[in-house]
Amino acid sequence: MYQGKKIVQPPYLEAGDRVALISPAYWVPQEALQQAAETIRSWGLQPVIGPHTNNLNVNAYAGTADERAADLLWALEDRKIKAIVCSRGGYGSIHLLSRIAKESFQEHPKWLIGHGDITMLLYVIASAGVMSIHGPMAFQIAGGQEPASTIVRNMLFGTLPQYRIPGNPNNRSGHAEGILIGGNLSSYSTISGTRFRMPPKHDVILFIEEVEESLHSIDRLFYMLRLQIDFERVKGIIFGTFSSIKYDLQYGSVEQMLIAHLYEYDIPICCGFPVGSNSCIPLIEGAPCSLDVTTDRAVLTFEMRGDLEPYRLDPEKPMLLREEDL
């Protein structure tokens, strides 16, 4: 397990650097990868597509588990490749965890980008002591999802976002500092109690999102998470989007249900942050950050090397506003 005091920040990219497109989980058509490659090329980078990404296995996965793991190792170990973009999530990342040693991420620190089922890989990378990006995947980049694509491009070149979002009636005010950890609740809670644990010796700001689950399932998953991690280290919480949820318990919202279970923790809680399956605003997993929450607004600031660019986001329809509006 990673024992250092700092989490490694992978190098930022420069024009002409190579970016690998791989599929650790579900298969996507090669047309989507080619479209994403064209967008990445327009950023001034050189896209390269993993050799096994078109190997459809059991009509679901992008190749066998060994083939998907081989593509990830290829992207990690090739010194000319400086960042890795996952094509999509779905299911299947868990198959790779026993096939790739955490030391591989420590020895080859580079930005890996994805969300959803890819949360498992992001958490393993953080437990290895390396930062990664919870952000849009290849099929979303190909579809021109904005402002997520623009922000993740800027991130790769060293311009970091400071996010400002309007207040939410469920917010709990306060200030928190720690490393940012989390992602899709189903994926995160599955492995949080295994040997892939939170990086030690760090306070944590936890963020979670979920899609197509029932309230009672989210309740169970959140309780699993609380039982499996040292929740005393959680200094702040960000609730992202909860999409297509089945309301089988009498709560007004997912946030109301979860906040009711957090009464003993005097920590700030930000609700309605636009991170999830429908609006994957990029977050830097494992990055030191600060969270300031009031009923009127919430501000998330990354405390790491790079230039700072403020973004004001509308949770209903994330938009980048003009500088003079901030």
Side-chain angles (χ1 to χ4, degrees):
M1 179 176 286
Y2 170 67
Q3 295 295 332
K5 294 183 179 180
K6 294 183 179 179
I7 296 184
V8 174
Q9 177 179 334
Y12 293 125
L13 275 58
E14 298 179 356
D17 281 345
R18 293 188 180 183
V19 175
L21 292 161
I22 65 168
S23 299
Y26 276 1
W27 177 88
V28 297
Q30 287 292 295
E31 292 82 0
L33 289 176
Q34 292 292 345
Q35 290 172 11
E38 287 303 313
T39 299
I40 291 170
R41 189 173 289 111
S42 74
W43 298 350
L45 301 168
Q46 297 185 46
V48 287
I49 296 175
H52 296 105
T53 53
N54 202 33
N55 293 1
L56 181 62
N57 176 250
V58 297
N59 204 36
Y61 307 123
T64 65
D66 286 339
E67 290 172 337
R68 286 178 277 131
D71 276 7
L72 178 53
L73 277 173
W74 157 75
L76 282 173
E77 295 174 353
D78 188 329
R79 294 185 178 182
K80 295 181 180 180
I81 291 174
K82 303 301 182 181
I84 305 167
V85 177
C86 298
S87 66
R88 66 160 295 180
Y91 177 73
S93 297
I94 197 169
H95 300 154
L96 279 58
L97 304 190
S98 62
R99 290 172 165 82
I100 300 178
K102 286 203 296 186
E103 289 74 19
S104 296
F105 299 106
Q106 295 168 344
E107 294 167 3
H108 310 284
K110 54 187 68 175
W111 297 109
L112 184 140
I113 305 165
H115 69 276
D117 187 67
I118 306 300
T119 293
M120 293 190 178
L121 294 180
L122 303 181
Y123 190 49
V124 171
I125 293 170
S127 74
V130 179
M131 297 181 197
S132 57
I133 298 176
H134 182 279
M137 293 183 279
F139 80 98
Q140 292 162 319
I141 292 172
Q145 186 181 90
E146 292 294 352
S149 293
T150 295
I151 296 173
V152 81
R153 177 199 65 194
N154 293 346
M155 276 183 174
L156 290 174
F157 285 107
T159 298
L160 306 178
Q162 180 192 60
Y163 292 127
R164 305 178 184 183
I165 67 170
N168 186 292
N170 293 310
N171 279 2
R172 182 189 291 172
S173 299
H175 172 81
E177 297 179 3
I179 63 168
L180 194 62
I181 293 292
N184 177 261
L185 181 59
S186 299
S187 302
Y188 183 50
S189 60
T190 299
I191 63 169
S192 60
T194 68
R195 66 181 186 273
F196 306 109
R197 296 183 181 274
M198 290 193 302
K201 303 178 182 178
H202 291 279
D203 291 336
V204 167
I205 294 175
L206 175 68
F207 74 97
I208 62 171
E209 57 86 15
E210 192 51 87
V211 59
E212 296 180 350
E213 290 284 354
S214 66
L215 280 185
H216 86 268
S217 292
I218 293 173
D219 183 81
R220 181 180 66 250
L221 292 167
F222 191 69
Y223 262 86
M224 285 174 55
L225 188 62
R226 286 186 57 189
L227 292 170
Q228 292 180 119
I229 68 175
D230 180 5
F231 222 81
E232 293 299 323
R233 291 168 55 192
V234 178
K235 303 304 179 181
I237 295 180
I238 296 172
F239 289 134
T241 61
F242 297 93
S243 306
S244 303
I245 302 301
K246 178 183 178 182
Y247 280 78
D248 55 352
L249 298 174
Q250 290 186 355
Y251 287 97
S253 67
V254 176
E255 294 88 347
Q256 288 180 7
M257 178 182 72
L258 297 181
I259 289 172
H261 300 327
L262 294 169
Y263 65 91
E264 71 267 43
Y265 298 101
D266 184 20
I267 57 177
I269 299 175
C270 168
C271 298
F273 195 95
V275 58
S277 61
N278 296 329
S279 55
C280 197
I281 296 301
L283 297 173
I284 304 176
E285 193 101 12
C289 61
S290 62
L291 175 67
D292 291 281
V293 183
T294 68
T295 55
D296 296 326
R297 68 170 187 168
V299 179
L300 179 67
T301 305
F302 294 101
E303 310 288 349
M304 48 191 284
R305 299 191 310 274
D307 300 324
L308 196 65
E309 185 170 12
Y311 287 87
R312 179 178 289 176
L313 301 172
D314 178 351
E316 298 299 323
K317 184 179 180 182
M319 294 180 63
L320 169 63
L321 299 187
R322 297 170 300 173
E323 180 69 22
E324 56 264 32
D325 293 329
L326 294 172

